[in-house]
Amino acid sequence: MKHKKIIFLIFLCIIIYLIYSFFHDDKISYIAIGDSLSAGVNSYGEKGYGYSDYVADYLRKNDKLRNYYNGFATPGYRISDLKNQIVTNQTLEYNNSFVSLKKSLRESSLVTVSIGGNDLLSNISLSTSSVETLDDDELIEIIDQMVIDLDDLLKEIRKYAKREVVLLGYYNTLHDSAHNIKRTFAYLDSKTNEVCKKYDVTYISLYSLFENNEDFLPNPTNIHPNTAGYEAIANKIIKTLNNI
């Protein structure tokens, strides 16, 4: 009798596993949220093909994509705007139905976030003269406050998004670097990476990517990358995902 029970339990486990395998797949529900970089605004201020589109293309090509949406991404958004967007549970129309941000985050298996650039630009005009007039203490104070706000945002995101969350870092929009820009971005990268680790969020630094590829920013009057720049960002995300 005891042996029959064991056999029955083994058989039951096999059935459960087969049912799980049949209905479960590893395809990714991908949502990109944040500011104009997440929306794909190009170097001439037009919404075009952004990094999230390239990531979605890669997943689709490899038969890993279940669905993808970047409609919540909003040019000009700051950290507080994105947090408020989540708290108020913004709802948008998509494929003839309505989707809410909280539900989208709950159902996501991948979230990419670009946010904070507008916070930085509102306090620091990334021109040589502006950066050089700020001393290190002022720069540190600006970054520290930004990271506090980022901490609050990631805490809010993690209430709903339980799987992979990727935060993109920041890059220098100047072709000529002021004497303390490298030091400023190194500190920003370090502090942002710390808060990302706190919430098990993957942080991708972009500073060196743009420092070594100035052609990614062809318009000196616009901070946004061209399509080559967005594709390079997407490749960093894809490489990171493949290494997780």
Side-chain angles (χ1 to χ4, degrees), residues 209-222:
L209 178 68
F210 280 78
E211 182 185 37
N212 298 323
N213 296 278
E214 292 180 351
D215 290 342
F216 291 164
L217 299 168
N219 185 356
T221 65
N222 193 291

Side-chain angles (χ1 to χ4, degrees), residues 114-167:
S114 171
I115 201 71
N118 292 309
D119 297 71
L120 199 60
L121 290 169
S122 67
N123 289 291
I124 306 171
S125 173
L126 291 182
S127 66
T128 304
S129 58
S130 174
V131 175
E132 287 188 338
T133 58
L134 293 170
D135 63 33
D136 286 351
D137 288 340
E138 287 176 297
L139 289 169
I140 288 172
E141 185 178 349
I142 289 168
I143 291 171
D144 286 348
Q145 181 56 56
M146 178 178 154
V147 172
I148 289 171
D149 295 339
L150 193 59
D151 187 295
D152 289 339
L153 172 64
L154 294 182
K155 185 189 299 182
E156 191 66 27
I157 289 174
R158 273 303 189 200
K159 289 179 182 178
Y160 310 101
K162 301 301 183 182
R163 297 181 70 181
E164 189 63 37
V165 178
V166 175
L167 178 70

